[in-house]
Every structure is written in C-alpha cells, then in structure tokens.
Amino acid sequence: MPQKNGMATQEPSVEQALAFLSVGDAERAATLLRALLQEDSSDAEAWHAMACVARAGGDAQSAIALAGRAIGLRPAGHFHITLAHALLEQGHAEPARAAANVAVMTTPRDPRAHEAMAAILEAENRVQEAEVALRTALRLRPLDCEKHLSLAAFLARHGRVAEAVQTSEKALRLAPENIFAHNQHAVLLERAGRMREAEPFFAVVATAFPQDAVALANYGAALFAKGDFEQARSLLQDSARRAPDAPETRTNLGLVQMALGALDEAEQELGAALALRKHDARLAVNYGTVLSDLGRRAEAEALFRQVESWDASEQDRARARFNLGTVLLAEGRFHEGWQAFEARQSLLPARHTEELPQWDGADTGGAPVLLYAEQGLGDTLQFLRYVEPALERASILLAVPEGLRSLVAQMESVQAGRVTLLEKGQTARSAGAVACCSLLSLPARLGSDAPYPWMQVFTDAEADGLSDGQVRVPLRGPGNGAALQSAAKPLRVGLCWAGNPSYRFDRRRSMVPACLAPLADVPGVAFQSLQRGHTSEDLPFSIAPLPEGDMLSTALLVAGLDVVITVDTVIAHLAGVLGKPVWLLNRFGGDWRWAESSTRTLPDGGAENLWYPSLRLFSQPAPGEGNAPWEKPVKAVAEALHKLVKM
C-alpha cells in the first residue's frame, strides 16, 4: 500500500470516484477518473463512470459518447442503463428504449434496468407498460424504500393520488428515518387535499433542514391548514426572509395574516406575491379579496374583471367571478351581482340532485321544482324568503338540512300546504320534481334587482307557539329597539360569540368570551347562551346554558328573549327571521349582506338592514388582531344595553 508521510493512502479507484459523485463532488470524481484513464485507457468502468459524471453535470451528449466508449470495451448491462437515460435526456426515445431493452435482457435481475425502461415508456406515453416495468423493479427489491417512492411518484403523476399515498406509506414504514420519504408523503397528502395530515411529515423535514426556505414554507402552509396561525406565520416569515422571491410563500403568509385579521400586512404580502407572478389568476384573486376586505372595492372589482378575461383555468376564472359577485352585492348592484354570484356553483363539490335539470326560473305550469339548501344554515335561513316568489312560477319541493327541518316545517307556506317539505329518505323524482335549484340561486333565476323583503315567516298560530308563554314573537321586527318586558323582570339577552372554528377566517368573526366582559357591568340583565358547546366558566358573568336540541328548540328559546347579541353566524339569521331585535357584532370588512348597500336610512335618521329590519350593526372600526378590534363594538353594545334597561 502506498505511503505518504508515513501514513497509508487509499489506492485511486472507480469506486472512490463514484463515492465522490454520490456526495455531489463531481469535480474530484472527474479528476480521479481522468488520472485512472491516463494510466489505463481500456478501463471500461472508468469510461462509464465518466459518463455518469457527465450526466450529473447535465451534459447528456457527452454522456452518450462516454457510455458508448465503455460499451465498445465491454457491453455490460449497467453501461446500457446509463446510455438509455442519456439518450432519453437528449430526446431520443426509441434509441433509449433499445439500450434499455439490452439492459433488461442482459441483467433481468437489476431493478435499475426496469426503472430505465419505465422512464422511457412513460415518456412515450405508454403508461400501462411503464407501470408494469416499475412494479417489476419493486418486486426485485420489495424492501427498498426508494422503489416504493418511485412508484408513488409515478402514480401521482398520472392522477392516482390515493394509490400514491398508500404506496408512500409503505415506503415510510420501510425507512422511517428517510427525510425524502417524509417530504414526498407530505406532498402527496397535500395533493390529495389532506394538508392537515401532511403537517407532521412536513415538520420532520423542517426539523431536519431548519435553514431551508422550502421546507419552512411547506411546514408553515400545513400549520395554516390546521389552524395554527401564529406558528404558521412565524415559519412563513422566516421562509420569506430567506427566499423573498417565492410567490407561494408570500401568498400563504398573506392568507395567514388575513386569517389573523392583520389586513394591512396581508395586503402587502399578497400584493408582493402578485408582483412576482403578474398574470397568475389565483394570486390576483387572493389580492383582490384582501382589497375588498379593506374596503377598496373599486380596485378589487377592476382586478376581478381583468382575471375573467385572462387565459386562466376555468376554476380560477370562476373564483374571480364569484368574488366579483360579492363585491357587486356589497355595492348594492344586485342584478349583476346575483348573476356573478352564480359562479360559486363551479367551485362547490358536485351535489347529488337525482340528475334533475337546473331550473331557469321559467313558469313550469305547476310542475314541481326541488329547491335545496346549498351551504350553511345561516345562508339557508336567509334565502328561504325567495321560496315565496318562486311559488308564483312553480310548485315547490323543499329540501333542507336535518337540523332545520322541524323549524322550516313551521313556515306558513309549508303549514298551508303551498310548499312540500321533502321527507327524510324521500326522493324529489318520486315527488314529481322536473327540475332543481339551489336556494342561493333563486335571486339570479328570478331576475331579482334588490333583496326580497323580509317577510312574515310564521302564521299567527305558529308565532304564538314560538314563545315561552310570556313574550310573543313579533311578526314584524321592531326596528333597532327591543320588545317590551315586564318591569319586574330582568332584560333577557341571548349571546353568541363564536362561529364554526373550521372556517378558515373564523378568527376574524369570532371572539373569545373575555371580550364580552363590559356586558357584566350592565345591571338588570339575565343572559342566555346561544352558543353551542360552552361551559359557564367561559364567560366573566353568569349565563344560562343552551339546552340540547335542533334549530327549532333554539328558535323557541330565542322567541322568549328581548334582544339577541351575536357575531356573524346562524344565530343572527335565526333572530332576524323571527323578527327579534338582533345586534350583530360585525368584523371589519364583514360579509356582503351586512355592507352599507344593504342598509337604508329611515325617516327618523335611524338605519334598517334590507335583509332583516330588526338587525342593528355594531362593527369593528378598523382591522386588527386578537381582542383589540372588538373593544369598541362591545363597548357600544354595553352602552345600548344600558339604555334599553332604563327604557
């Protein structure tokens, strides 16, 4: 063994050169190989290794020549594998397949030969044959994590994401320490729409590569999907500092800021993302959304209209048109707004409507039309008013969520037999339906130019039933005041302070119970919870819990209250439908239905919501994070309660 300064040195070899190449040191590998070839130009393995170095450096043409020289000296199967890959990289698919075929024939037990053949067949769009080749490689090395990962990636490329996830799971079980396997599995879960499940796998990658901007961005996006907004923001900010020109990172950071209520910061990030990719429809829609929330509706409208004309995907154009619809509705331009609002149908999951054709709003000559609930319970309650004008053009079958059935059964039109409420398990076709329509589509189909007026929902008999025996439900809302109560009894006030936490932007519309502390200082009030799933410890004052039951039982409870105070959730719609005084604690940049164009000025100088005359808005004056934006509206509600108690 050669000696240097008394120390043994390793004899230069092809294996040593390939070891250098495997760790990315192509220059040292090439230097060593050139030295070997100077000593022995007939060394086929050295020429082949030089071909591998050339491929690693992106020089496929040189790799072809070098691999060919190696094959001329000794036609080994693995030489043909390298030649096949290099030929494919140069776009020579048929010669590549011929080389791979030689490799498969001469070394049928080498999985690399079958993998090379799979790559070539896939490039030729011979997908089934490519899959067979990949599965052959996997059978030869069933315990090799990399073989499972290759098959998983192939399946994902061809739209078989669920199978890809299953295959990736096997790879992880074989090599739980493999960081690449964690990353690929997380990416596949994301593609499968299971981003929350991807979070722990992205976390492993981010822990292993804490300086890598992509790893941090992926982990931050997964935390955002899980609702861990603060940690997501921190990671995304770190990633953006390391790679400020990454539009996806800036977009996700902007969306996190939106979810937290930091709208100015969100506008900066989403604007920066769009500047990096100026004609990306998805990024433009995101930016338009935050502009709209900030009240910059003219800018948002212009942007959404631009996107509609871009060469973008159908879904991105639908998102732009739907968002345009909400801007137009907020501006009071209802006729065009309803038409644009219809674009949401392209964004929603397909709904089983027994393959009934969509109703266009034309007179059916008395034939039944199925009207169905599309989204949340609040939307359903709001749009039930359009059943009345629809009855002028068709007989109506009505399908609503189970939680609303018993309440909707009390509607005057149902009680009188003018509307048929579809029974559980009953099909619309068996009831004679000839067409169907979402409740939310009725304004567009009926050609509405303004909100259909708030109407009497219950007959006098049912209204008397929706009471506690002492306070009758008003059939018309008493404006912004409250029903009179006995001087001997406290004012009965219903409270709802949070919506569904699964909604991405729920943080902005909901509040923690502590925000309601100023209400504790109002004397002569008995509070009733209208909030599901809370305990008495949640609030800084005594409150009666909400009993179990469906929406009818909640309506019966609301009917006995003097005023309802709620954030923007189904309770606001329920109280509004019942004509109860409802004070809405509204987030900054709130929903289009609470915008100023849905409010009219009364002769006495007061204001009335066009959807619910009994509703009064208490809105955040400015955007912000945490509890601070709620201080002024809650204080205003407390002052209004003080005045009401003194009446």
Side-chain angles (χ1 to χ4, degrees), residues 168-453:
S168 181
E169 287 172 348
K170 294 177 184 176
L172 269 175
R173 286 196 294 270
L174 288 169
E177 75 292 342
N178 187 314
I179 303 301
F180 179 76
H182 280 272
N183 188 68
Q184 178 167 306
H185 189 57
V187 170
L188 290 173
L189 286 169
E190 180 182 7
R191 284 191 59 183
R194 298 161 58 182
M195 188 60 156
R196 293 185 178 207
E197 297 174 56
E199 181 269 327
F201 304 100
F202 278 135
V204 170
V205 180
T207 301
F209 300 101
Q211 309 301 317
D212 187 273
V214 175
L216 295 171
N218 287 338
Y219 185 26
L223 288 168
F224 178 33
K226 282 189 68 176
D228 191 345
F229 299 144
E230 284 81 6
Q231 190 179 355
R233 177 167 61 183
S234 176
L235 284 162
L236 290 166
Q237 286 174 331
D238 191 3
S239 177
R241 281 192 294 270
R242 297 173 188 279
D245 294 338
E248 291 297 336
T249 302
R250 304 295 292 270
T251 293
N252 285 328
L253 178 54
L255 293 174
V256 169
Q257 299 283 29
M258 275 188 73
L260 287 167
L263 298 188
D264 290 330
E265 292 83 352
E267 187 271 336
Q268 293 174 11
E269 294 299 331
L270 295 173
L274 182 58
L276 290 166
R277 199 183 290 162
K278 295 183 185 298
H279 295 288
D280 188 309
R282 184 173 54 87
L283 303 188
V285 171
N286 288 336
Y287 185 51
T289 302
V290 74
L291 290 175
S292 178
D293 278 6
L294 283 166
R296 295 161 60 181
R297 295 195 193 115
E299 296 173 69
E301 178 184 346
L303 189 54
F304 293 143
R305 290 192 187 277
Q306 285 180 30
V307 174
E308 280 194 280
S309 66
W310 288 358
D311 183 18
S313 71
E314 181 180 345
Q315 186 175 50
D316 282 337
R317 287 198 302 271
R319 285 183 65 221
R321 184 152 181 78
F322 169 70
N323 280 275
L324 172 63
T326 62
V327 169
L328 294 171
L329 293 173
E331 291 284 309
R333 294 147 68 185
F334 291 105
H335 187 83
E336 185 185 0
W338 292 132
Q339 301 304 319
F341 192 62
E342 284 296 276
R344 75 191 185 284
Q345 299 279 17
S346 301
L347 306 172
L348 296 170
R351 179 184 173 86
H352 176 62
T353 52
E354 305 175 43
E355 299 182 354
L356 289 168
Q358 285 291 313
W359 184 44
D360 62 3
D363 195 313
T364 65
V369 170
L370 170 68
L371 301 182
Y372 58 88
E374 177 191 298
Q375 298 189 47
L377 299 183
D379 289 319
T380 302
L381 287 175
Q382 179 186 358
F383 282 83
L384 276 173
R385 70 189 66 211
Y386 286 97
V387 171
E388 196 65 31
L391 279 167
E392 298 175 6
R393 306 187 189 186
S395 297
I396 298 301
L397 300 171
L398 186 58
V400 297
E402 190 60 29
L404 285 178
R405 275 189 55 80
S406 56
L407 175 63
V408 173
Q410 305 303 314
M411 285 176 56
E412 184 277 331
S413 56
V414 176
Q415 290 280 310
R418 297 188 299 124
V419 170
T420 300
L421 187 59
L422 214 60
E423 298 292 336
K424 188 176 182 180
Q426 182 184 12
T427 66
R429 282 197 179 275
S430 68
V434 298
C436 65
C437 181
S438 162
L439 284 168
L440 273 66
S441 292
L442 284 175
R445 306 291 167 83
L446 298 175
S448 175
D449 291 323
Y452 192 75

